[in-house]
Amino acid sequence: IPGISKPFVYPYPAVAPMLLAFLVGGGVAWQTTMNAWLALISMANLIAVSALVNWGRGSAKAFAAAYYWLIFVGLLGPVALGRIDSVATLFAIFGLVALNQNRIRGAMILFTMGAWMKIWPIALALSIFVSDTRRKVLAATAAWTVVAVVAVGVLFGGGVDQIFGFVLTQNNRGLQIEAPAATFWLWFAKFGLFESSIYFDQGLLTNQIAGQGAIEVASLLTLAMVVAVAITVWLGVKAYRAGADSKALFAVMGLTATLDLIVFNKVGSPQFEGWLAVPIVAGILFGLPRWRFAVLGGLALALFWSEGQPLASVPLSHYQITVNPSLPALPLFTLAGLLFARTCAAARLGEVFTAAFGSGVAGTAIAAAVLCSFFTAFTGGSGVTILALGGLLLPLLTKAGFPE
């Protein structure tokens, strides 16, 4: 069994959903197994969304959280359903439902079970432990119960030495191009610096970074990740002692700890974006103020990943925008629109075109169209232009007989 009798990149309980899909698919071919997997995950998502909205009886916040989850999965695409991360994420969603109903024990059990599918829900387990220390004994007992059950399975399988094999196998991995830390070497490779390049690892079937310092950085990132999570926990404890709301603290700390696991990870994949959706959904469900940035940021990252663009492409895209030769024209267009508006040139041009085409219904309409074309040619379609023309054209058109 992978993870017990031999090394495996995932915790050994992750084999269970894979085996279930294999059996449902008839145990014949890879394609039927994959179809069965997608069907099972889709049904599980349907149940998760239904539970999130309390089977249709939930609050407006619950429906907003469910809509966000559906939009997020739709933007992220098939990778949101086709990897083992989707199982861990579903456990986290069900844990979130339990937490919203103040069932701390159930939430902790579900978060811990998710962590034994893919390690990232440990961020949510830590967050629930820190954000409600009044019931920390209950939460810790629930978590250790799941760990004990998993350990018993390993013990009977005779693979005690492999229980944390999924962590040790990460040591042999290099720096993948999708990892945020790979951004620097992607730039170096682009400009031919420090012997940097991209190569395809046949064993792991992934693109990785080669170059001066890449191996050393990759070996230090796991330690950096642990330190980052520890700092997040420390800040969470300080916030709790300062009187922070427990559910707000859970969402903020969960999002921060999840980002720690992504940003300081030497491995990167599009499905990692699905990790961020759960704490963002938590913020929506709990009605956190000033949460729009996280909501829009999550959707933006999902759009990047849906196009096959790794996180490292974000600064590259910004760079391409900044070197665009048309960029300096934008403030000049705005300045021109401001000058037209403040000098009353727009009103005088309106009088000129109205006199040229007539003051009737047809003439005023033609004059308005020509005036808009004239302004756009000189000032672009900026907000200043719209404001200047709106105040000018509205009285002209209403005076000619057009309804407001």
Side-chain angles (χ1 to χ4, degrees), residues 225-267:
M225 184 194 304
V226 173
V227 172
V229 172
I231 292 173
T232 299
V233 171
W234 174 66
L235 292 174
V237 171
K238 289 191 64 176
Y240 177 81
R241 290 177 176 174
D245 177 74
S246 60
K247 289 188 175 180
L249 178 58
F250 169 82
V252 174
M253 182 179 167
L255 181 59
T256 306
T258 304
L259 282 169
D260 292 337
L261 296 178
I262 295 175
V263 173
F264 297 100
N265 202 328
K266 62 182 176 181
V267 180

Side-chain angles (χ1 to χ4, degrees), residues 59-274:
S59 63
K61 295 174 183 177
F63 275 93
Y67 284 135
Y68 182 84
W69 171 250
L70 291 174
I71 293 171
F72 192 96
V73 171
L75 290 177
L76 196 55
V79 74
L81 305 175
R83 302 295 295 270
I84 192 63
D85 301 69
S86 60
V87 179
T89 302
L90 283 169
F91 273 113
I93 289 290
F94 283 115
L96 191 58
V97 172
L99 179 61
N100 191 44
Q101 298 171 354
N102 290 317
R103 293 188 286 115
I104 302 298
R105 179 185 299 169
M108 181 59 91
I109 288 174
L110 288 164
F111 290 148
T112 309
M113 290 174 65
W116 280 103
M117 295 291 161
K118 193 71 179 278
I119 191 64
W120 80 265
I122 194 67
L124 304 179
L126 288 172
S127 299
I128 197 174
F129 185 81
V130 171
S131 63
D132 196 350
T133 56
R134 292 170 297 179
R135 290 180 279 186
K136 63 181 180 180
V137 175
L138 184 66
T141 302
W144 281 111
T145 301
V146 176
V147 173
V149 171
V150 173
V152 168
V154 174
L155 182 63
F156 279 99
V160 178
D161 58 330
Q162 296 293 339
I163 188 169
F164 294 114
F166 64 95
V167 177
L168 300 176
T169 54
Q170 302 298 321
N171 294 332
N172 298 324
R173 290 192 156 200
L175 190 61
Q176 290 188 1
I177 63 168
E178 296 93 343
T183 304
F184 304 101
W185 281 269
L186 290 175
W187 279 93
F188 296 156
K190 178 178 176 62
F191 295 108
L193 300 175
F194 305 114
E195 302 177 359
S196 301
S197 62
I198 299 172
Y199 70 96
F200 186 77
D201 190 301
Q202 296 290 344
L204 297 173
L205 302 179
T206 184
N207 289 298
Q208 298 193 149
I209 294 293
Q212 295 180 13
I215 296 176
E216 291 78 7
V217 169
S219 62
L220 292 173
L221 279 176
T222 301
L223 176 61
M225 184 194 304
V226 173
V227 172
V229 172
I231 292 173
T232 299
V233 171
W234 174 66
L235 292 174
V237 171
K238 289 191 64 176
Y240 177 81
R241 290 177 176 174
D245 177 74
S246 60
K247 289 188 175 180
L249 178 58
F250 169 82
V252 174
M253 182 179 167
L255 181 59
T256 306
T258 304
L259 282 169
D260 292 337
L261 296 178
I262 295 175
V263 173
F264 297 100
N265 202 328
K266 62 182 176 181
V267 180
S269 289
Q271 69 268 18
F272 287 11
E273 174 62 22

